[in-house]
Amino acid sequence: MRVIALRVFAVSALATIWVLLWGRVTIANIVMGVVVASLLLVLLPLPPVPVQGRVHPVAVLKLSGLFAWYLLVSSIQLMWLAIKPGPTPQTGVLRVPVNLKSDLVLVLASSITTLIPGSIVLEIDQVRRILYCHVIDVGSARSVERFYQQVAQVERLLVAAFERDDEWLPAGENA
């Protein structure tokens, strides 16, 4: 059942992207999006990614709200950095260790971090669970600490949404 749900989600996501790329929501675009998405998944299959645990909708909603808040705040901060008089902000690469068990959730964490304005994940050390992030405005200890707190808060909500310890089994064990 879970495999079918993941395939339906993948087809839906790809079909949605197809419709967005065309710029018009029509029956023909939706049908073609589903056809193209289905063909892509059949002709170019992705390797299986182990998915464990359960999705907790309340935690996902909190994560979405936090992400929207960070988008707003970071956009305003970047706007201010761009227009304020004075020297350009100091940038740097920060090493951010994370305690995420799943590769899928690790990629989700890096995607969220990259989508927040002012930072981009340059590299993911999958074995040591470290994100290397390029960050704008690392000129003060306060701004560096704020970035670390931001990533830690996203990580906590990702764990609450997808990786709760009481629901996690090591790879290879069946529920």
Side-chain angles (χ1 to χ4, degrees), residues 8 10-16 18-19 27-41:
V8 168
V11 168
S12 300
L14 289 172
T16 301
W18 176 269
V19 171
I27 298 295
N29 279 344
I30 294 169
V31 170
M32 281 306 297
V34 170
V35 169
V36 170
S38 299
L39 283 172
L40 279 173
L41 291 174

Side-chain angles (χ1 to χ4, degrees), residues 106-129:
L106 181 64
V107 169
L108 186 57
S110 71
S111 297
I112 291 171
T113 303
T114 294
L115 289 171
I116 295 172
S119 63
I120 185 167
V121 176
L122 301 173
E123 184 179 345
I124 302 172
D125 186 337
Q126 180 184 5
V127 175
R128 294 186 290 166
R129 299 296 203 222

Side-chain angles (χ1 to χ4, degrees), residues 53-61 159-164 166-167:
R54 290 182 21 218
V55 175
H56 298 273
V58 174
V60 171
L61 191 60
V159 168
F162 305 109
E163 291 190 344
R164 294 185 181 181
D166 58 337
E167 298 170 352

Side-chain angles (χ1 to χ4, degrees), residues 45-69:
L46 293 170
V49 177
V51 178
Q52 300 175 350
R54 290 182 21 218
V55 175
H56 298 273
V58 174
V60 171
L61 191 60
K62 287 180 184 178
L63 177 65
S64 299
L66 178 74
F67 177 63
W69 174 252

Side-chain angles (χ1 to χ4, degrees), residues 103-165:
D103 289 343
L104 192 60
V105 177
L106 181 64
V107 169
L108 186 57
S110 71
S111 297
I112 291 171
T113 303
T114 294
L115 289 171
I116 295 172
S119 63
I120 185 167
V121 176
L122 301 173
E123 184 179 345
I124 302 172
D125 186 337
Q126 180 184 5
V127 175
R128 294 186 290 166
R129 299 296 203 222
I130 297 173
L131 302 176
Y132 292 93
C133 304
H134 181 269
V135 181
I136 295 176
D137 191 22
V138 295
S140 70
R142 183 173 154 246
S143 58
V144 170
E145 185 58 33
R146 182 175 57 234
F147 175 75
Y148 280 124
Q149 287 175 353
Q150 200 173 27
V151 174
Q153 193 169 18
V154 167
E155 178 185 355
R156 280 192 302 276
L157 284 174
L158 282 168
V159 168
F162 305 109
E163 291 190 344
R164 294 185 181 181
D165 286 334

